Amino acid sequence: MGKPLNVGIIGCGAIIAQYLTNFRRLDQINLVAVADLDPARAQAVADDYEGVRALSVEELLAADDVDLVLNLTIPAAHAEVALKAIAAGKSVYGEKPLAATAAEARQVLESARQAGVVVGCAPDTVLGTGIQTARKAIDDGLIGAPISASATMVTPGHERWHPNPDFYYQPGGGPLLDMGPYYVTALVTLLGPVVSVLGAASHTRNERTIGSGPRQGEKVPVNIDSHVTGVLVHASGALSTLFMSFDAVKSKSPNIEIHGERGSLVVPDPNHFDGDVQLFSLGAEDWQTLPVSAGYVDSGRGFGIADLAATPKGREPRAGGALAYHALEVMESVLKSAHSGMMVAIQSTVDRPESVPLTEVAEQAGALQSK
């Protein structure tokens, strides 16, 4: 607190551009180094960002001026890179999911606990005005006691636009583990932790055809469940229904809908940081759009790191490892239930993260430090 957090990035793929844009706006973050298995990609970032060094992975992990490693590698490498960073005495913030499996994620959290460093993880979309305005509406009692929620994500498959979609259709991929972190993290933020799940899944095609790029027309094998549905039982008693598909074409259902005793909320896309929250109150004649009332205004990827940087020592960051682990266990358990046909109890739990007051970018240094 009170000084910028020195950050080094491992992994300079497409997603890094969004982080770099926001790092330039966030006084809490000082980017000092980048690394990639392709040195040219790291050098290109360093050339475009003043004061940043392009290093090898080993050099970045050994650098004395790196306090936190932002892990932007592919999901299969998340745990390996995180554990190396922790062993080097660095805190870690990773892209979702925290690890490819819950077992690997547990190892990351335990290693961080023993080393006395902090773990954070995307998605930090839940810190934006969309989810946080919905959270405030629930906390203010606008819908009464929450009863249920539905979460819907439908796309006919990433191979239609992604030039290298292979990993989406291998273990660790699929609609639930790819997009589910946004939805499950939002549901836990809105309704609290999950205690048990029941799932079902299907696998409709054994291969997909790449639709764009230099590999257009090439076949990709499918070794995951491509359509997943599940019921999450929250500790509060609320029930959430998940519908995650790489098979269906389109849906008119809201991304997330929350129902309570006295009203219903339409919650914006949890893959975005903003969006309208709509309320239909008991006895009303129509939906009303709620004014933006909470969250980081005009936020984006990287705000979770700024939030982590200002979190007092000993407190879990809002986009923390415990929340990411709980979401991963929930998703993994939905798939386990789908294959066993039995309800699965969730072993982990997590405190519902603190809400984010309405905060402008220019206010963040003081606001974050005073939370």
Side-chain angles (χ1 to χ4, degrees):
M1 292 177 59
K3 66 177 183 178
L5 181 69
N6 288 339
V7 174
I9 300 177
I10 297 179
C12 297
I15 194 65
I16 195 174
Q18 296 182 49
Y19 281 93
L20 296 178
T21 296
N22 290 309
F23 282 1
R24 289 184 167 96
R25 304 163 55 206
L26 293 167
D27 293 339
Q28 298 86 5
I29 296 172
N30 180 34
L31 181 63
V32 297
V34 293
D36 192 275
L37 292 178
D38 180 354
R41 292 206 300 188
Q43 189 61 56
V45 173
D47 290 344
D48 192 49
Y49 203 110
E50 185 178 355
V52 173
R53 313 190 305 279
L55 304 175
S56 68
V57 172
E58 292 73 20
E59 289 170 337
L60 188 148
L61 293 174
D64 291 336
D65 61 343
V66 173
D67 302 317
L68 177 142
V69 170
L70 171 56
N71 183 1
L72 301 183
T73 58
I74 61 173
H78 283 182
E80 178 185 358
V81 171
L83 290 169
K84 287 181 178 179
I86 291 166
K90 318 293 188 189
S91 292
V92 180
Y93 185 96
E95 255 302 326
K96 55 84 184 170
L98 181 58
T101 67
E104 289 182 348
R106 279 196 302 272
Q107 186 179 3
V108 169
L109 294 185
E110 178 58 23
S111 296
R113 186 191 65 78
Q114 293 179 1
V117 298
V118 179
V119 175
C121 188
D124 50 2
T125 48
V126 292
L127 306 182
T129 55
I131 301 300
Q132 289 295 319
T133 294
R135 160 76 180 262
K136 188 174 190 302
I138 293 171
D139 291 350
D140 288 349
L142 297 189
I143 64 169
I147 299 168
S148 67
S150 60
T152 304
M153 192 291 300
V154 170
T155 174
H158 292 346
E159 76 281 357
R160 295 169 58 85
W161 56 268
H162 199 295
N164 295 292
D166 310 64
F167 68 95
Y168 290 115
Y169 297 103
Q170 298 303 313
L176 183 58
L177 290 177
D178 175 44
M179 296 301 294
Y182 299 106
Y183 290 80
V184 175
T185 302
L187 290 170
V188 173
T189 297
L190 295 167
L191 300 176
V194 176
V195 294
S196 61
V197 302
L198 183 65
S202 61
H203 175 117
T204 58
R205 282 175 275 171
N206 291 324
E207 62 182 19
R208 301 287 180 120
T209 302
I210 298 177
S212 64
R215 298 172 62 197
Q216 185 174 3
E218 183 179 330
K219 304 293 185 181
V220 173
V222 176
N223 296 309
I224 48 84
D225 294 310
S226 49
H227 183 100
V228 182
T229 187
V231 176
L232 317 182
V233 181
H234 295 263
S236 65
L239 304 178
S240 293
T241 303
L242 291 176
F243 181 94
M244 304 275 131
S245 183
F246 279 172
D247 294 334
V249 175
K250 198 70 174 176
S251 173
K252 292 182 71 174
S253 298
N255 296 100
I256 295 178
E257 201 168 48
I258 309 287
H259 303 286
E261 294 175 313
R262 297 200 300 273
S264 296
L265 286 176
V266 170
V267 182
D269 188 344
N271 191 20
H272 297 163
F273 288 82
D274 53 13
D276 289 339
V277 177
Q278 294 185 300
L279 169 69
F280 199 110
S281 299
L282 183 65
E285 295 184 358
D286 202 354
W287 294 89
Q288 63 169 308
T289 299
L290 297 180
V292 172
S293 59
Y296 295 131
V297 177
D298 295 326
S299 54
R301 280 179 166 82
F303 273 61
I305 302 174
D307 186 86
L308 179 152
T311 300
K313 187 175 181 180
R315 285 171 56 181
E316 180 74 6
R318 290 186 176 101
L323 176 58
Y325 172 73
H326 185 67
L328 178 57
E329 188 193 354
V330 167
M331 294 184 293
E332 195 173 87
S333 297
V334 168
L335 295 174
K336 185 185 299 182
S337 173
H339 297 154
S340 69
M342 301 178 66
M343 182 167 278
V344 175
I346 305 301
Q347 302 303 311
S348 67
T349 190
V350 65
D351 291 333
R352 194 167 171 239
E354 290 185 42
S355 60
V356 180
L358 190 63
T359 307
E360 299 281 350
V361 172
E363 300 171 355
Q364 283 172 23
L368 286 171
Q369 289 177 16
S370 65
K371 71 176 185 176

